[in-house]
Amino acid sequence: MRTGSIGGVIILIWLVIGAIAAGQRGYFDNSEKNCAEAGTIAVTVVAGPLNYLGVNPKIKCTLPQPSK
């Protein structure tokens, strides 16, 4: 039963480290938010400690424009 709570703590620490890495890269400071920025923040947080091993995930996306 303890393995579930230990796994949860490990995942939480992983995500906190990823959020710290995103903050150090200044991703939370930018006032302009779009699809690519939100995606980059998300994958940086999920990458966690891998950010400190040279992983620098970036997301590119375009949203369809409404028809006229």
Side-chain angles (χ1 to χ4, degrees):
M1 271 195 201
R2 294 284 275 166
T3 57
S5 62
I6 292 172
V9 169
I10 290 171
I11 290 173
L12 180 64
I13 292 170
W14 183 277
L15 295 175
V16 167
I17 292 171
I20 291 169
Q24 289 176 338
R25 291 181 178 163
Y27 293 158
F28 299 124
D29 297 337
N30 191 359
S31 62
E32 180 185 332
K33 298 295 181 207
N34 56 32
C35 169
E37 186 74 23
T40 299
I41 290 171
V43 297
T44 300
V45 170
V46 170
L50 298 177
N51 289 292
Y52 296 103
L53 296 175
V55 174
N56 190 10
K58 299 277 185 184
I59 299 292
K60 294 180 184 178
C61 62
T62 56
L63 295 175
Q65 297 298 319
S67 61
K68 293 183 180 184

